[in-house]
Amino acid sequence: MDSRPRIAVLGGTGKEGSGLALRWARAGFPVAIGSRDPERARHAAERLRAIVPLAELIGLANADAAAWGEVVVIAVPYEGHALILQALRDILARKLIIDVVVPLDPGNPRRYAPPPDGSATAEAQRILGPETPVVGAFHNISHFHLHDLDEIPECDVLVVGDHREAKARAIALAEAIGFTAYDAGPLANAPIIEGLTAVLIGLNIRYKGKGAGIRITGIRRKNG
Ligand SMILES: NC(=O)c1ccc[n+]([C@@H]2O[C@H](COP(=O)([O-])OP(=O)(O)OC[C@H]3O[C@@H](n4cnc5c(N)ncnc54)[C@H](OP(=O)(O)O)[C@@H]3O)[C@@H](O)[C@H]2O)c1
């Protein structure tokens, strides 16, 4: 894979997906915004190109974006998670899948509502099968930190999954857009990382913030 792989963001018209798309596009990655409506995707891509005019940014229907991408980010609300993965299973085969989806209680976003698989990341891995490497990442990064391109993020990215090489690639992609990212262990840890998002949302509500995040301390990085 190229050091700047094509990245497709399904649900890229939304808050989190468009923020990730913007950051990767600014960093020089070719990016496709995916949507259920290709026209909406094209408009979203245009809006982002107005911010980063030199970026290679296109808008496509989700299926076309998934086919185009070498890396595919799943950034839809949990209600659409299983459906989109089932529909695109063959197209997504053997690509690197980065799942940012957090299943929250629709009546109370401060409460994590894990699916029967234990986590959204595990659900994705089951639906796509073991040949397709799925990692969970960016769950704990509020979209507010993605859209302000002047901001150097003060929060870290935790990457979970059972595919070691996939995690290394996801970590490199997170670091390419300014984050410090860590291998947070196997897929079995995904409920912890996803569930932490409910805690952060609760903190935002309680303390009237927008961008609560986490920072790992006590680890000496090889370049830090
Ligand atoms: N917002 C954050 O700060 C944040 C932080 C960490 C993780 N996340 C996670 O990231 C995911 C996206 O969050 P968001 O805040 O960006 O959500 P959002 O803005 O509400 O939605 C993202 C996009 O998903 C598409 N979508 C909506 N309902 C769908 C469905 N039923 N099936 C398929 N696609 C659907 C829509 O695009 P089209 O209508 O154009 O198809 C929408 O623009 C969520 O799972 C969330 O838990 C969000």
Side-chain angles (χ1 to χ4, degrees):
M1 185 183 291
D2 195 275
S3 64
R4 287 201 180 139
R6 295 187 302 276
I7 303 175
V9 185
L10 311 189
T13 55
K15 298 179 282 294
E16 185 77 357
S18 64
L20 288 168
L22 179 65
R23 289 245 169 194
W24 275 314
R26 199 232 345 218
F29 291 81
V31 175
I33 301 271
S35 168
R36 290 168 294 180
D37 174 355
E39 197 54 27
R40 197 154 49 236
R42 276 192 284 279
H43 284 138
E46 258 167 47
R47 277 196 299 278
L48 297 188
R49 266 201 311 273
I51 303 168
V52 282
L54 298 179
E56 196 182 323
L57 244 168
I58 54 173
L60 298 169
N62 279 328
D64 295 331
W68 176 90
E70 296 167 272
V71 175
V72 180
V73 179
I74 314 296
V76 301
Y78 178 69
E79 302 80 77
H81 184 250
L83 222 59
I84 199 169
L85 292 166
Q86 280 152 1
L88 303 181
R89 187 180 194 279
D90 293 345
I91 296 174
L92 295 175
R94 283 178 278 282
K95 299 188 183 221
L96 169 58
I97 310 301
I98 300 180
D99 200 321
V100 312
V101 173
V102 181
L104 296 169
D105 181 338
N108 181 1
R110 285 169 285 191
R111 193 168 290 169
Y112 181 53
D117 288 289
S119 66
T121 315
E123 182 178 81
Q125 187 65 82
R126 173 183 56 77
I127 292 171
L128 298 178
E131 302 285 293
T132 301
V134 176
V135 303
F138 299 104
H139 303 103
N140 310 135
I141 307 298
S142 159
H143 67 278
F144 287 103
H145 295 299
L146 298 169
H147 288 272
D148 178 359
L149 291 178
D150 294 330
E151 181 185 327
I152 298 165
E154 280 183 352
C155 37
D156 295 338
V157 174
L158 298 179
V159 181
V160 286
D162 283 346
H163 295 259
R164 193 182 291 263
E165 197 220 327
K167 282 189 285 188
R169 282 157 59 196
I171 287 169
L173 290 173
E175 298 200 328
I177 54 174
F179 290 98
T180 300
Y182 294 89
D183 179 342
L187 197 53
N189 285 354
I192 303 166
I193 312 300
E194 293 178 15
L196 203 46
T197 307
V199 176
L200 296 172
I201 291 170
L203 288 170
N204 282 333
I205 293 170
R206 234 166 277 127
Y207 293 96
K208 304 193 189 332
K210 284 180 174 172
I214 54 149
R215 171 132 280 182
I216 301 301
T217 60
I219 303 283
R220 186 182 282 270
R221 303 290 303 242
K222 61 178 182 294
N223 57 351

